[in-house]
Amino acid sequence: MPTNSVAQELTGQVVDALTDQGIPFVNVVYGDQEGTITDIDGKFRIRNLKEVDHLQFSCLGYYQHRLAKDQITPYIYVELKPLQYQLDEINILPGENPALLVMRKVVENSKKHNPSSYDPYSCIIYHKMNVEFDLPKDIDYEQLPPEVKQFGINKDSYLMLFESVSEKRHLKKGIEKERIISGRVSGLRTPTMASLPALLQPFSFYDQYVKLLDREYLNPASKAGLSSYKFQLLDTLVNSVGDTIHYISYQPKKNRNFRGLTGTFHIHASSSAIKTVAAKTTGTENGLKLFIRQNYQPVANGLWFPKQLESSLEFGSIGNTNQLPYPLIGTGKSYVTAINTEPGFSKKDFDNITLEDASILRSAPNVGVYRYEPLSAKDSATYHLIDSLGRKAHLDAIINMQLSVVRGYIPAGNFQFDLRRFIDYNDFEGLKLGMGLYTSPRMSENFSTGGFFSYGFGDKTWKYGGEIQLTPHVHKENKYIFEYRDDVFATGSYSYLDGINKRSSELFRGFLTETMDRTREFKVGTEFRFFKYFKSGLYYRQANVSPQKRYIFLDSDQIAPDFDFKEAEIRLKWAHRETFTKTALGLISEGTKYPMVWLNFAYGEGVQNRSFEYNKVEVQLEKTFRYPNAMYSTIRAQGGKLDGDYPSTFLYSSFGSYKSFTIHVANTFGTMRLNEFAADEFTAVYLSHGIPLSLNTNRRVKPEIVLNTNIAWGTAPDDVSSFDKGYYESGIYFKNILSSYMLQYGLSVHYRYGPYQLENAIDNWAFKLGLEFGF
């Protein structure tokens, strides 16, 4: 026990009484508000401590614990019991809220303390994550429910264990990269999912939005957060070097609908820097809850860096209906080391990939070389048991199969089957069956070849094609394309380079196609990225086109004659500061907050009864505006101009998506009939405003109301139905009112008005089923 004559050092750990897990950021107070804070593992150290009467331990969500003088020993192990009731509503008395004053200073100094705003630095981060059921402490394993026993769990090991080491490089705000250099995953020979712990939370907690679980949550330590959250000063303590630390809780204000967090801060008073932050999602997202904790420390030059990061991912169910008897918890911890504020790299060392998983490479070093702390007995038992089970169950093959299916392929050794070619449907071809076989990345990442064939039961014809792709620089998205197709293509359609989000309902547009043209086409091209945020495609093609049906936008009842043509095309896409994550799933876009711009230019010539020559220009701009209350607005503007002499097949006519009852397709005119109008020059604007509901709740389904207005103008030759007076429609989309494991369902209704309103009132309405991908 400490005495007055000799200063003592105390060490210890504070754990949860139910789980035996260390509790981060517990206030350890001694004397007159003197104290310290436990780290991410619940451990603490008090140096130069002289005689005290007691030690007091407190943390939001736990009962306080007090040790009397005769209970204090050089090493202290304390168990805190969780509170068994909800926290009371925060009541702020008249006058300035002291917690709000502290948080206002934090926001004012956020740029100064935000690692994203620092000059160049680098660091090494060790990540470890375990997955297990949240079982009662004294449960009898023999009496576990069958749903739990099927996982083969025991008390001596985890269900899964992940380890990885990453090198983080930062040049300036918006220019940084984290590279996973080593990893290990229990049960797998190749650490396919080693990057998972690094993906769960950001490196700092100062930006206006905190990205968790692929969702953006309003940061309480932001200008908008100050007015959207309630803050309460819970405690103030002074550490052993005389620094004052404020302990502040926060939670969303009542009846505010935004993606919010609840938790606590420890604020370093003199610098107004975040010392620690604990945050959990206020509601669930697809049945998941996420808890994160970050512990910051100043380095020699006064900059504050995260020292320890922790995340806890809770699965209450698998899918939408399979409720688990006990929550499944994934707990990850990350430790930041080797911080270097004079790293000596330049802008040329960075690209737009912000996280790259290189741990799956054969040249990756053993993770044990970088391990922050030795494996525990439970860690070692997990590797021994799960690795053995993984080999017997061929877990690597199963995981690789699942990853391939997500990418749209079924692996078959050095080859892969294209899932999209097995079965498809559209209103022209009807049910379409076929097969596509291509070489896989296992054979070569720089070369692929293959082909497909299919049969449409509606048009009763076979289609086929083949291609060769050369990808000399996978990292830079460079590729060369050689392909031949004898297939059908939608009449009057247009597209842009990487212009459709792979999770957008625009992918369903092909199902509605009624008019297609048979095309025998040979195409060569190249695609590459330049100046970091520009992507381009250069293409040349020769084709023979055979129209299959009369075009309803023409006055003539005749089917247009066949024609041959040659065309050269340039496509450009500019997405300023668009970033990507490169994992086993491939290159995944993280988007950008800036407008995206697409531009196409083509020149062609051909013969249809007589020679023709044409050129066309197409442009698209898209921008999404996000607001602190989670509402968002999106604008997409498109335009095209076809000039010269050309076949009627080339007229723009793919604007509408109307059926008596069909699928809602974003960025189309839901009340316009398919190929009802055509244009050689057009402008179209799609406006939408989304209002998410039930955000800070545990409801499985979180509906959204999306308001739409679409406007278009177009001109065309005299014998073509056009919309030069302006086409207008507005509607409302009730999004995600039902949900399944992969899909979210909704309903939309749109109304057509203006110069092209139809005579029968009911014909101006369009009712549609909404389908959105739920992942």
Side-chain angles (χ1 to χ4, degrees):
M1 184 178 67
T3 67
N4 280 322
S5 57
V6 180
Q8 297 285 321
E9 178 176 285
L10 296 182
T11 60
Q13 186 177 23
V14 183
V15 302
D16 187 299
L18 297 182
T19 66
D20 287 333
Q21 299 295 315
I23 306 174
F25 315 151
V26 176
N27 297 315
V28 184
V29 179
Y30 53 89
D32 186 15
Q33 289 305 110
E34 293 179 288
T36 188
I37 305 165
T38 64
D39 67 9
I40 212 83
D41 299 308
K43 298 177 181 179
F44 67 93
R45 181 187 300 270
I46 304 174
R47 295 183 174 90
N48 302 319
L49 178 66
K50 296 189 177 181
E51 185 171 356
V52 294
D53 292 330
H54 67 276
L55 285 176
Q56 183 163 302
F57 302 85
S58 63
C59 182
L60 190 65
Y62 290 86
Y63 290 103
Q64 290 188 4
H65 186 81
R66 183 185 178 97
L67 289 180
K69 182 177 180 178
D70 59 357
Q71 296 175 297
I72 300 174
T73 60
Y75 181 80
I76 299 170
Y77 186 82
V78 175
E79 294 183 344
L80 294 187
K81 295 181 180 180
L83 291 170
Q84 300 301 315
Y85 54 84
Q86 296 291 331
L87 292 175
D88 293 334
E89 177 74 18
I90 295 175
N91 295 312
I92 304 301
L93 299 175
E96 191 73 45
N97 178 4
L100 187 58
L101 286 174
V102 174
M103 293 307 301
R104 190 173 291 132
K105 291 181 180 180
V106 172
V107 173
E108 290 171 357
N109 288 273
S110 61
K111 186 175 182 180
K112 177 182 176 182
H113 298 306
N114 188 352
S116 298
S117 302
Y118 290 168
D119 290 333
Y121 68 83
S122 65
C123 61
I124 299 294
I125 310 174
Y126 169 76
H127 309 273
K128 183 166 74 171
M129 181 178 182
N130 60 67
V131 179
E132 62 181 343
F133 281 103
D134 186 18
L135 300 174
K137 184 177 180 180
D138 301 320
I139 192 167
D140 184 349
Y141 277 71
E142 298 300 321
Q143 298 179 359
L144 286 173
E147 306 96 298
V148 176
K149 282 185 176 181
Q150 68 180 349
F151 288 90
I153 69 169
N154 64 69
K155 62 182 178 181
D156 298 320
S157 67
Y158 300 110
L159 284 176
M160 289 200 73
L161 182 63
F162 304 78
E163 283 186 287
S164 65
V165 176
S166 61
E167 179 188 29
K168 185 177 181 65
R169 292 186 171 192
H170 172 87
L171 185 66
K172 63 180 183 178
K173 190 173 181 65
I175 303 179
E176 61 183 18
K177 184 169 188 174
E178 185 172 351
R179 190 169 187 264
I180 312 293
I181 56 179
S182 180
R184 185 178 180 184
V185 179
S186 61
L188 301 178
R189 291 188 179 93
T190 303
T192 309
M193 300 180 291
S195 60
L196 178 61
L199 294 169
L200 290 181
Q201 65 170 305
F203 190 69
S204 67
F205 205 87
Y206 281 97
D207 294 329
Q208 178 163 324
Y209 295 98
V210 180
K211 191 171 185 180
L212 309 172
L213 292 176
D214 200 31
R215 303 281 186 177
E216 291 187 332
Y217 294 81
L218 181 62
N219 189 348
S222 67
K223 288 184 179 179
L226 293 178
S227 59
S228 300
Y229 285 86
K230 287 185 176 182
F231 301 93
Q232 185 176 30
L233 182 61
L234 300 178
D235 206 350
T236 298
L237 55 91
V238 179
N239 63 20
S240 58
V241 295
D243 293 329
T244 299
I245 307 293
H246 298 299
Y247 186 45
I248 293 173
S249 68
Y250 62 88
Q251 65 185 57
K253 288 184 176 179
K254 193 174 182 180
N255 298 325
R256 293 293 185 95
N257 188 60
F258 64 94
R259 285 193 176 90
L261 303 165
T262 60
T264 59
F265 289 106
H266 281 101
I267 305 299
H268 187 261
S270 62
S271 64
S272 296
I274 295 174
K275 177 71 176 69
T276 77
V277 57
K280 67 175 179 179
T281 53
T282 304
T284 58
E285 291 290 348
N286 293 327
L288 304 178
K289 290 183 180 179
L290 182 64
F291 305 76
I292 68 167
R293 299 177 180 91
Q294 300 183 342
N295 186 12
Y296 291 78
Q297 66 173 354
V299 295
N301 56 5
L303 301 177
W304 288 76
F305 281 92
K307 177 184 179 183
Q308 301 167 316
L309 308 173
E310 182 181 20
S311 54
S312 181
L313 188 62
E314 178 180 316
F315 300 79
S317 61
I318 297 179
N320 291 278
T321 58
N322 298 327
Q323 192 70 29
L324 294 171
Y326 299 102
L328 193 62
I329 306 291
T331 302
K333 293 183 179 181
S334 303
Y335 301 88
V336 182
T337 63
I339 296 172
N340 182 4
T341 55
E342 297 180 359
F345 42 66
S346 63
K347 192 172 183 178
K348 66 180 181 180
D349 297 317
F350 295 84
D351 50 30
N352 54 355
I353 298 177
T354 56
L355 189 142
E356 178 183 6
D357 187 358
S359 67
I360 58 177
L361 302 178
R362 292 182 180 178
S363 58
N366 190 301
V367 72
V369 176
Y370 301 93
R371 192 169 281 138
Y372 179 81
E373 58 186 7
L375 292 176
S376 68
K378 195 168 184 177
D379 294 337
S380 298
T382 302
Y383 278 135
H384 179 74
L385 175 64
I386 305 302
D387 285 354
S388 175
L389 293 175
R391 286 191 295 270
K392 292 180 180 178
H394 304 289
L395 193 56
D396 278 272
I398 294 173
I399 295 296
N400 289 332
M401 168 71 81
Q402 292 174 338
L403 292 174
S404 293
V405 169
V406 171
R407 292 194 297 263
Y409 295 93
I410 296 177
N414 290 327
F415 295 88
Q416 54 188 8
F417 294 96
D418 189 342
L419 281 171
R420 296 165 297 181
R421 296 293 181 181
F422 281 115
I423 185 169
D424 201 354
Y425 175 86
N426 61 66
D427 282 348
F428 178 81
E429 297 176 274
L431 177 65
K432 186 166 65 171
L433 301 179
M435 187 177 74
L437 181 65
Y438 300 85
T439 58
S440 72
R442 179 175 173 177
M443 177 180 288
S444 173
E445 288 191 344
N446 304 109
F447 169 84
S448 71
T449 185
F452 73 92
F453 65 88
S454 64
Y455 181 80
F457 288 86
D459 63 345
K460 295 181 172 55
T461 57
W462 288 92
K463 296 91 180 176
Y464 59 90
E467 67 176 34
I468 297 173
Q469 284 195 19
L470 304 176
T471 313
H473 306 290
V474 177
H475 197 65
K476 297 182 179 180
E477 299 179 77
N478 290 8
K479 64 180 177 181
Y480 299 92
I481 305 164
F482 306 87
E483 67 178 28
Y484 176 80
R485 290 191 178 190
D486 187 341
D487 204 349
V488 290
F489 298 90
T491 303
S493 61
Y494 55 95
S495 62
Y496 299 90
L497 185 62
D498 295 343
I500 297 180
N501 186 306
K502 293 182 179 180
R503 293 187 293 182
S504 170
S505 60
E506 289 180 80
L507 293 173
F508 300 127
R509 187 171 188 165
F511 294 162
L512 310 180
T513 305
E514 289 182 341
T515 305
M516 305 184 84
D517 304 297
R518 184 76 181 230
T519 304
R520 300 162 186 86
E521 171 185 283
F522 174 73
K523 178 180 177 181
V524 297
T526 179
E527 295 177 4
F528 56 92
R529 187 172 292 277
F530 65 101
F531 296 142
K532 194 173 181 179
Y533 301 119
F534 282 89
K535 188 174 181 180
S536 66
L538 307 176
Y539 312 95
Y540 173 79
R541 59 177 179 154
Q542 295 183 1
N544 169 262
V545 179
S546 300
Q548 303 294 293
K549 294 174 64 175
R550 66 169 290 267
Y551 302 145
I552 64 172
F553 54 78
L554 293 177
D555 290 341
S556 172
D557 290 331
Q558 301 297 315
I559 297 177
D562 295 4
F563 63 92
D564 298 304
F565 76 98
K566 303 174 183 178
E567 182 182 87
E569 183 181 27
I570 300 173
R571 293 190 174 199
L572 296 171
K573 176 187 177 182
W574 176 57
H576 185 58
R577 294 199 174 181
E578 181 183 23
T579 58
F580 296 86
T581 296
K582 188 177 182 181
T583 67
L585 285 172
L587 210 58
I588 302 172
S589 175
E590 299 296 328
T592 175
K593 64 180 181 180
Y594 296 93
M596 292 191 291
V597 181
W598 291 262
L599 178 65
N600 301 338
F601 176 77
Y603 168 81
E605 58 184 32
V607 178
Q608 187 185 44
N609 299 330
R610 57 186 175 81
S611 297
F612 61 82
E613 183 178 359
Y614 66 92
N615 58 69
K616 59 182 177 180
V617 179
E618 297 153 0
V619 65
Q620 176 174 279
L621 181 146
E622 184 173 320
K623 171 74 171 97
T624 297
F625 302 88
R626 301 191 180 278
Y627 311 109
N629 58 6
M631 290 193 291
Y632 59 91
S633 300
T634 299
I635 178 171
R636 175 184 285 190
Q638 295 177 335
K641 182 176 175 61
L642 179 62
D643 194 27
D645 193 9
Y646 48 81
S648 57
T649 302
F650 286 174
L651 288 166
Y652 300 107
S653 61
S654 183
F655 303 107
S657 61
Y658 174 85
K659 298 278 186 180
S660 56
F661 185 79
T662 188
I663 298 174
H664 173 86
V665 179
N667 299 308
T668 63
F669 286 83
T671 61
M672 185 187 293
R673 278 58 180 168
L674 280 78
N675 303 105
E676 179 181 358
F677 299 104
D680 59 7
E681 184 175 352
F682 78 94
T683 300
V685 179
Y686 305 92
L687 303 169
S688 64
H689 180 72
I691 308 170
L693 305 175
S694 304
L695 291 179
N696 294 321
T697 70
N698 291 328
R699 294 178 184 173
R700 180 73 197 184
V701 176
K702 298 179 185 292
E704 289 186 26
I705 296 175
V706 182
L707 307 176
N708 299 109
T709 293
N710 304 324
I711 307 168
W713 301 267
T715 60
D718 293 339
D719 58 345
V720 176
S721 298
S722 189
F723 45 101
D724 56 297
K725 297 177 183 179
Y727 189 96
Y728 305 91
E729 70 174 20
S730 294
I732 184 169
Y733 175 25
F734 298 98
K735 182 177 177 180
N736 192 24
I737 55 179
L738 291 173
S739 178
S740 67
Y741 183 60
M742 294 185 63
L743 292 174
Q744 298 171 347
Y745 304 92
L747 290 171
S748 73
V749 56
H750 288 76
Y751 181 70
R752 170 175 178 163
Y753 55 93
Y756 299 99
Q757 190 173 27
L758 299 175
E759 183 176 352
N760 293 328
I762 190 63
D763 293 335
N764 294 299
W765 292 91
F767 303 90
K768 297 173 181 284
L769 171 69
L771 291 178
E772 302 280 344
F773 293 105
F775 50 85

